[in-house]
Amino acid sequence: MASKRKISNITLIGFMGTGKSSVGRRVAKILGFRFIDTDQEIEVRVGKPIARIFSDHGEEYFRKLEADVVQHLSKLENTVIATGGGLGANLKNLESLKTHSLVICLWASPKTIWERVRHNQNRPLLQVADPIEKIRSLLAERKPVYKKADVMINSELRTLPQVVQQVVYHFKLVTNSDFSKQNKIGSQN
Ligand code: S3P
């Protein structure tokens, strides 16, 4: 697997509210890379906001759209990709992303995630009676796949500029070294 990798992009995975888009935009600016947000790509393709896609077509349909976008991403270079929280929790998606990207997972605790997303109504999976419990259970379910990222960065213990700096640091480390000889790049909690 590692020998087939050609790292020309950075992909940020992780749960809702961990800062993927804010971090991704800043990293792209620093590196002079293009920035892509997979949720935005899907919204443009379908012509509807994510919440409408869920309510009109259901989650399964949305997951298929995510898998389609993942295929398209493999053609990109010099791009920072911020993904929707469920995209990088799918092993097949993750394996595809790893062929062209350094995959970095941003991490935060359920309590911090809730504080960050609570005032936002646009996340259909959290429109339930007990959203904190939903965050806990989804996070526990997704954790085994998230942990397969090349790098884990805890975004609740760091400021936004510190997370951005960590992402840039890890990317430079990998692209300046002989990546093909490495199986695992390292982890940072
Ligand atoms: C989802 C996360 C959302 C969006 C959709 C589903 C998830 O993206 O893709 O609401 O399954 O965790 P963000 O992580 O950008 O909020």
Side-chain angles (χ1 to χ4, degrees):
M1 165 81 184
S3 59
K4 287 183 195 146
R5 298 183 71 176
K6 183 177 175 291
I7 306 300
S8 18
N9 304 310
I10 298 174
T11 296
L12 299 173
I13 67 165
F15 208 79
M16 298 173 248
T18 52
K20 294 160 292 183
S21 301
S22 320
V23 170
R25 262 193 206 92
R26 290 189 182 209
V27 170
K29 210 167 179 188
I30 289 170
L31 296 176
F33 278 20
R34 181 178 167 202
F35 174 76
I36 278 191
D37 182 306
T38 60
D39 280 344
Q40 280 176 8
E41 286 289 308
I42 290 171
E43 289 183 332
V44 169
R45 279 184 187 203
V46 183
K48 292 178 187 178
I50 301 292
R52 272 297 292 281
I53 299 174
F54 268 74
S55 62
D56 290 356
H57 308 281
E59 182 175 349
E60 205 178 314
Y61 178 74
F62 176 73
R63 299 301 173 200
K64 281 197 186 111
L65 295 171
E66 284 190 320
D68 285 351
V69 169
V70 166
Q71 292 313 309
H72 162 78
L73 297 175
S74 63
K75 300 184 189 97
L76 301 177
E77 287 188 339
N78 300 337
T79 304
V80 179
I81 302 155
T83 59
L87 189 151
N90 173 300
L91 194 54
K92 229 175 140 192
N93 289 343
L94 184 69
E95 281 172 357
S96 173
L97 293 168
K98 276 189 168 183
T99 62
H100 56 82
S101 292
L102 179 70
V103 179
I104 298 185
C105 179
L106 301 187
W107 187 258
S109 67
K111 202 166 156 263
T112 298
I113 288 170
W114 175 237
E115 286 309 318
R116 288 180 183 168
V117 303
R118 61 186 299 176
H119 300 297
N120 214 314
Q121 310 293 312
N122 63 2
R123 290 180 168 100
L125 292 180
L126 301 182
Q127 306 310 306
V128 293
D130 189 349
I132 303 188
E133 186 42 42
K134 180 74 179 179
I135 292 169
R136 272 202 195 95
S137 63
L138 258 184
L139 201 53
E141 193 183 297
R142 292 174 174 183
K143 195 174 175 180
V145 182
Y146 283 155
K147 280 177 71 181
K148 292 183 190 291
D150 297 307
V151 181
M152 302 281 287
I153 298 176
N154 190 322
S155 73
E156 81 186 321
L157 301 176
R158 296 180 170 88
T159 62
L160 179 59
Q162 284 171 338
V163 178
V164 169
Q165 189 202 3
Q166 282 291 312
V167 172
V168 172
Y169 167 78
H170 281 285
F171 185 68
K172 288 195 169 162
L173 199 65
V174 165
T175 47
N176 291 334
S177 68
D178 186 357
F179 180 80
S180 63
K181 288 184 185 151
Q182 300 176 32
N183 284 321
K184 188 85 180 166
I185 295 150
S187 65
Q188 176 112 21
N189 298 301

